[in-house]
Amino acid sequence: MWRAALTELVATALLMFTLTSSIISCLDSQDVDPKLLVALAVFIIAFLFLMATVPLSGGHMSHVFTFIACLKGLITLARASIYVLAQCVGSIMGFLLIRRVRNHQTAHKYYLGGCTINANGATSAVSRETALILEFSCTFVVLFVGVTVGFDKKRCKELGLAVVCGVVAGVVAGAMALAVFVSVTVTGQAGYAGVGLNPARCLGPALLEGGVLWDGHWVFWFGPFLACIVYYAYSINMPN
């Protein structure tokens, strides 16, 4: 369990570093419409990290997947708690790296990943209501598509570990890219880089930058966890 938790910590830190840096670069590029670039970056990076970590720790790297795995009884509450702690520490480490290597002006413009919620009427963000709806609906889409495939024990036995890793990585990464693309298309604000699908994504920036990033920060936690609960209630009534 501890080795798996260490994998989650390192993987989450590197995921936050590479994914957020890529998203900032896409948003700061001269491309007229960077939305497709952001979605493509999310797909490629998420796919590679999932392929590397699914056999080692389950490839969670997100409180969302850890929480739903715990609800479904695939991991214990103790393991889930350690995973969540590791992911939080990994998020902080990843954004510390970004803070050190990125141009400060660029990093500040996109608030280290675009986690701004319009709690004070700022024009560079989205409203709490919009962000909450996006977090809930997009997280539910990722769970409905990715978890339904990835947590299918019968299919895992039939296909084997190698094939399952590829299928899960592709499906989950694709669902995440679709969710980010939809949310960025809906909002189109520099201070908001789409749904987080992972509370840890915005925890690091909030702790490091503070200020406006704490306004409405609860949305990045409540929306995904509510989606997990609703998806779990739906999944237990699904036919086997």
Side-chain angles (χ1 to χ4, degrees):
M1 179 174 68
W2 293 107
R3 281 181 288 187
L6 180 61
T7 299
E8 284 291 309
L9 187 153
V10 174
T12 302
L14 296 177
L15 178 65
M16 294 298 105
F17 174 68
T18 55
L19 187 60
T20 304
S21 295
S22 300
I23 290 175
I24 291 175
S25 297
C26 291
L27 294 175
D28 197 48
S29 68
Q30 300 301 317
D31 195 286
V32 177
D33 191 3
K35 300 181 184 68
L36 283 175
L37 292 178
V38 172
L40 182 61
V42 170
F43 175 78
I44 293 174
I45 295 171
F47 177 81
L48 293 175
F49 273 87
L50 285 168
M51 283 292 291
T53 58
V54 166
L56 301 177
S57 64
H60 294 192
M61 297 175 289
S62 168
H63 302 346
V64 169
F65 297 120
T66 300
F67 186 50
I68 196 65
C70 184
L71 286 177
K72 284 181 165 290
L74 299 176
I75 61 174
T76 63
L77 180 60
R79 180 180 285 263
S81 301
I82 293 172
Y83 271 24
V84 168
L85 178 61
Q87 290 157 6
C88 289
V89 174
S91 171
I92 297 170
M93 291 173 58
F95 283 101
L96 277 172
L97 284 174
I98 295 174
R99 197 178 189 184
R100 294 291 297 177
V101 301
R102 295 291 307 193
N103 176 274
H104 178 73
Q105 184 176 358
T106 303
H108 180 73
K109 178 180 178 181
Y110 298 105
Y111 291 97
L112 288 177
C115 295
T116 311
I117 299 296
N118 184 8
N120 295 320
T123 58
S124 61
V126 298
S127 66
R128 289 176 177 176
E129 293 76 14
T130 300
L132 180 61
I133 293 171
L134 286 172
E135 286 291 336
F136 171 80
S137 56
C138 290
T139 301
F140 188 87
V141 168
V142 172
L143 293 173
F144 181 78
V145 176
V147 173
T148 303
V149 174
F151 289 179
D152 190 338
K153 296 181 180 179
K154 186 183 297 183
R155 188 173 302 175
C156 291
K157 292 180 180 178
E158 292 175 353
L159 298 178
L161 180 60
V163 177
V164 168
C165 285
V167 171
V168 170
V171 171
V172 174
M176 291 174 65
L178 176 63
V180 171
F181 176 76
V182 169
S183 60
V184 173
T185 302
V186 169
T187 58
Q189 300 290 344
Y192 180 76
V195 291
L197 305 173
N198 182 0
R201 172 179 163 249
C202 290
L203 176 63
L207 289 173
L208 295 177
E209 292 291 313
V212 69
L213 288 178
W214 285 115
D215 294 334
H217 179 75
W218 60 270
V219 167
F220 294 107
W221 293 80
F222 184 73
F225 282 127
L226 180 61
C228 285
I229 294 172
V230 173
Y231 173 77
Y232 175 71
Y234 166 78
S235 65
I236 60 177
N237 294 310
M238 289 174 62
N240 296 323

